[in-house]
Amino acid sequence: MNNFSSRTLWRLEHCARLLKTNHSRTAASNTSFPAVWMLLAQHSGRIPGPFVVVKKSTYFTMPETVEDKTNPELYLPHPGVRGMTVLDREAFKRTVLVPALKVKKEIVHHVLKSLKQSVLQRPGLKRVVEDPEDEDSRFVILDPHKVPEFSLGEAEQQVLRQLSVHPEVCRYQLELSYENFKSEEILRAVLPQGQEVTSGFSRVGHIAHLNLRDHQLPYRHLIGQVIMDKNPGITCVVNKTNIIDSTYRNFEMEVLAGENNLVTKVKENNISYELDFSKVYWNPRLSTEHGRIVELLRAGDVLFDVFAGVGPFAIPAAKRSCRVFANDLNPDSYSWLLHNCRLNKVDTKVRAFNMDGRDFLRGPVREELSKELPLLKEEQKTAFHVVMNLPALAVEFLDVFRHLLVGEPCGPAALPTVHCYGFSKHSDPARDIQERAEAALGTSLAGRCSTVLVRNVAPNKEMLCLSFQIPADVLYKRPCPDEAKPASKRLCTSQDSSEEKVLS
Ligand SMILES: C[S@@+](CC[C@H](N)C(=O)[O-])C[C@H]1O[C@@H](n2cnc3c(N)ncnc32)[C@H](O)[C@@H]1O
C-alpha cells in the first residue's frame, strides 16, 4: 500500500475509533474540520447549457439588447475585469436576462411562499420589483438555475394556477453590480482563467488571515479588499509571508487591506482573549481541542500548561476552579497571558511564568509535584494534568519527566496525566507519535496511552494529542540498591536525577 492510501485508511480507521495502537479516538466533534471561513470556495457560477437555447417568451420588460442571450455565465461579473489588480467596483456591472413572473401585487407574498425554491436569492438583489407599465402588478424575479429555459416545472405551474396566476415566465433585464456578486464570483472573474481561486482564510477578531499561493500574489491587495467588502466586521486582511516562526509559532505577515491594527479581541468557548496577532500564536481551529482538554478537568485539579500562549487552556481551566501554572517563552505571549488572566478575573488562580518549557518542568512543576503528591490522601481525587501544545517539538521535551521526582511514588491514580501534541506525516500517525514519546521517556506506553486526531494540518500532515499518565518508574528516581556504598563504587552516579540514565 502506498503512503497516501495507507494514510487515508488510517484516517478512516481513526475516525471509526478502530485504531490498532491502544485506545485511540477522534476529538469530540469536528476538530479536523473546524469552523473556518472558506468563502473563496470553488464555484463555477455557470448556468446549465440549455439556458442558451431558449425560445422567446411573449413578455419583455426591456428591448432585447443585453449580451447574455447566448452567454451561459449568468452570475459572472463583466468579462472586462479579468486581470484587474486595483479594485474598480464600477467595472463589475452587467445586465442579464432572468426569468420573472408578473403577478398582481395582492398575491405577491403567496407566490413567494409557493415558489420559495425558484425565487432568485442574490446578495443585495430585490426578489420583487415594480412593473413600470402597471402599478397594480409586480415582477417576482426567478432564479435561472431553478427555472431553466424560462419555463416552470409542472408542479410549480399547478401551484400558480391555483393562485389564478398565468404560469407564463417572462424575461426581465436585471442589472448586476459589484454588490450583487459573491466574493468567489468576483475573484474567479479577476484571477487568471484556469488557475485555482480556492483559498481559505481564518478569522481572528477583526482580522482575516490568508495564506495565498504564488499565482494569487499579484492580486493580493484586490483579494484583501474583496474579503473586507464581503465580510462585515473584518477591517483588516493579512497574508502570511513566511512559514511559521519555529520558536514562538507566530507568523510574519503583510497587511493587504484595511487598518494596520493587529491587536484584536477574540471569543473562544465563551471566554474573551485580547492579543497582538503579529506577535503571538492564536489559531481559531483549536477551539474544540481546547474545550476537550478543559472538559477533562474538575474543580481542584492542577493544570501545568507548558506552552501556554495567551491562555486558551489555562484561563478556562482556572474558570473551572483549577489551580493553574501557565508558562510561555515568548515575552509577548507572557504579557498577553497576564492581561487575559486579569481580563477574565482569574489572575489569582493562574501563576504565570516566562521561561523555557524544560526549565518550567524542572523548576515550578517539579517543585509543586514534590510538595503536593506526597500529601495526597487515598480518598483525594485531585488530578494533575500537564498540557504540552507545541506540536513541532513537544515530544522532545518528554525526557524531562525521567526521574523528575525522588522519593516514594504516589498512588497510581495521582500520577500526572500528560497531553502532548505532535505533528506526524507517517502512514500511522498514532503509532509514530507513541513511538517517539516512548523513545523520549525510555519506556513502553503500550496499553497505557490514547491518541486523538486533532486536525489535518496539510494533505499529508496530522496534528495529534497523545495522553498518558507518566509511569511511576519513569517519574520517580528508583532508590539505588547500593546507596550505602561510597560514591565512587555506585552504579547510579548522576547528580541530577533528570540527567540520569534509566537502569533496566
Ligand atoms: C502552538 S503554540 C500553543 C499556544 C496555546 N497553548 C494554544 O493552544 O493556542 C506554542 C506556544 O509555545 C511557545 N513556545 C515555543 N517554544 C517554547 C519553549 N521552548 N518553551 C516555552 N514556550 C515555548 C510559543 O511562544 C507559543 O506561544
Side-chain angles (χ1 to χ4, degrees), residues 305-452:
D305 190 351
V306 186
F307 309 106
V310 302
F313 288 115
I315 290 169
K319 285 243 175 219
R320 282 177 97 97
S321 296
C322 296
R323 281 197 305 126
V324 179
F325 293 69
N327 171 66
D328 202 286
L329 181 62
N330 178 354
D332 290 299
S333 290
Y334 171 72
S335 301
W336 285 106
L337 171 66
L338 292 175
H339 174 88
N340 287 315
C341 288
R342 285 192 295 272
L343 184 70
N344 289 286
K345 302 188 173 42
V346 291
D347 38 331
T348 55
K349 291 184 184 145
V350 179
R351 286 183 59 191
F353 300 84
N354 179 208
M355 47 173 79
D356 177 73
R358 233 167 239 284
D359 298 334
F360 175 65
L361 289 165
R362 286 189 180 136
V365 176
R366 169 157 50 184
E367 199 182 303
E368 186 64 17
L369 289 175
S370 305
K371 197 171 73 192
E372 290 295 320
L373 289 179
L375 301 179
L376 275 190
K377 309 236 164 39
E378 266 301 291
E379 66 279 8
Q380 269 183 292
K381 296 272 184 268
T382 309
F384 294 82
H385 290 264
V386 185
V387 173
M388 302 175 71
N389 183 15
L390 179 60
L393 290 174
V395 176
E396 291 170 28
F397 284 67
L398 291 177
D399 64 308
V400 175
F401 292 114
R402 288 187 184 195
H403 297 187
L404 185 66
L405 305 181
V406 284
E408 192 58 30
C410 63
L415 287 166
T417 301
V418 173
H419 308 280
C420 181
Y421 292 85
F423 293 130
S424 179
K425 294 182 171 180
H426 201 269
S427 61
D428 186 346
R431 203 184 72 202
D432 175 42
I433 188 170
Q434 182 184 329
E435 283 177 359
R436 286 190 280 135
E438 289 174 341
L441 292 165
T443 194
S444 165
L445 291 174
R448 41 185 185 174
C449 67
S450 65
T451 45
V452 164

Side-chain angles (χ1 to χ4, degrees), residues 153-166:
E154 193 45 49
E156 288 138 332
Q157 291 192 26
Q158 215 165 334
V159 168
L160 288 174
R161 276 190 211 104
Q162 279 164 10
L163 292 168
S164 306
V165 176
H166 184 34

